[in-house]
């Protein structure tokens, strides 16, 4: 569940309100940012843990997904700029993720609660890793929450 708030800045022209597509870009930016950080962290942990017999294979898999998220994040960042949309602040707390943005004279915020954010992260991460979404083995709620909150 995502909620948005908007307020206007004083501007000479009447700016257009943010569109659903633009809000979707903000959401994608947030998800990709968090996913990218999780993949980078996981790759470091795999390499340093000493628990894997073949860590290079797993690191290669996660590293490939990290590169995909990096490319997608660059594309979303370009799209945000082309829409004159700037994310000014990103915060997270026990409830979820909040981002403040400025778009054509409007400032607003989007709030995404952890359950929805985590679920979408997991779906996208599976896709970037090349895993079949139908075969998902859902982790215990605690481990998923820990993953998202530790960024």
């Amino acid at each position: 569940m995502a909620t948005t708030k908007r307020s206007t800045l004083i501007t000479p022209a009447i700016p257009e309100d943010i569109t659903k597509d633009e809000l979707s870009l903000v959401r994608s930016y947030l998800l990709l940012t968090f996913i990218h950080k999780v993949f980078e962290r996981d790759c470091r942990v795999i390499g340093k843990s000493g628990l894997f017999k073949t860590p290079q294979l797993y690191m290669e898999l996660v590293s490939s997904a990290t590169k995909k998220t990096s490319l997608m994040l660059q594309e979303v960042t370009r799209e945000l700029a082309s829409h004159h949309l700037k994310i000014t602040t990103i915060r997270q707390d026990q409830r979820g993720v909040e981002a403040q943005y400025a778009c054509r004279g409007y400032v607003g915020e989007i709030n995404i609660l952890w359950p929805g954010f985590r679920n979408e992260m997991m779906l996208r991460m599976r896709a970037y890793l090349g895993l079949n979404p139908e075969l998902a083995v859902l982790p215990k709620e605690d481990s998923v929450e820990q993953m998202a909150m530790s960024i």
Side-chain angles (χ1 to χ4, degrees), residues 16 51 72 75 130:
E16 294 178 40
L51 299 173
M72 294 182 78
E75 181 58 34

Side-chain angles (χ1 to χ4, degrees), residues 42-96:
D42 287 354
C43 201
R44 283 192 309 273
V45 169
I46 291 167
K48 292 178 182 177
S49 73
L51 299 173
F52 293 86
K53 294 251 185 224
T54 55
Q56 63 277 14
L57 293 176
Y58 299 100
M59 288 173 60
E60 185 178 328
L61 179 67
V62 176
S63 181
S64 173
T66 304
K67 289 175 187 167
K68 288 176 190 172
T69 60
S70 179
L71 289 171
M72 294 182 78
L73 195 51
Q74 288 173 12
E75 181 58 34
V76 168
T77 301
R78 275 193 291 276
E79 281 293 310
L80 288 169
S82 75
H83 287 268
H84 307 289
L85 208 162
K86 181 176 181 175
I87 297 170
T88 56
T89 308
I90 299 173
R91 284 190 298 269
Q92 63 184 43
D93 60 22
Q94 69 278 5
R95 292 171 298 168

Side-chain angles (χ1 to χ4, degrees), residues 4-8 17-20 23 101 106-109:
T4 60
K5 293 184 204 171
R6 296 182 200 104
S7 60
T8 59
D17 202 0
I18 189 165
T19 67
K20 286 182 183 180
L23 279 175
Y101 60 83
Y106 277 93
V107 294
E109 66 183 45

Side-chain angles (χ1 to χ4, degrees), residues 81-146:
S82 75
H83 287 268
H84 307 289
L85 208 162
K86 181 176 181 175
I87 297 170
T88 56
T89 308
I90 299 173
R91 284 190 298 269
Q92 63 184 43
D93 60 22
Q94 69 278 5
R95 292 171 298 168
V97 177
E98 173 186 293
Q100 295 178 339
Y101 60 83
C103 182
R104 294 184 303 273
Y106 277 93
V107 294
E109 66 183 45
I110 182 170
N111 296 291
I112 309 169
L113 300 177
W114 279 123
F117 196 78
R118 286 190 301 261
N119 288 340
E120 193 164 348
M121 274 183 71
M122 292 301 286
L123 287 172
R124 287 183 179 215
M125 289 171 78
R126 290 187 64 74
Y128 304 145
L129 288 166
L131 301 174
N132 187 338
E134 286 88 38
L135 301 176
V137 176
L138 298 176
K140 292 191 301 189
E141 189 65 23
D142 292 342
S143 64
V144 177
E145 184 171 331
Q146 188 64 31

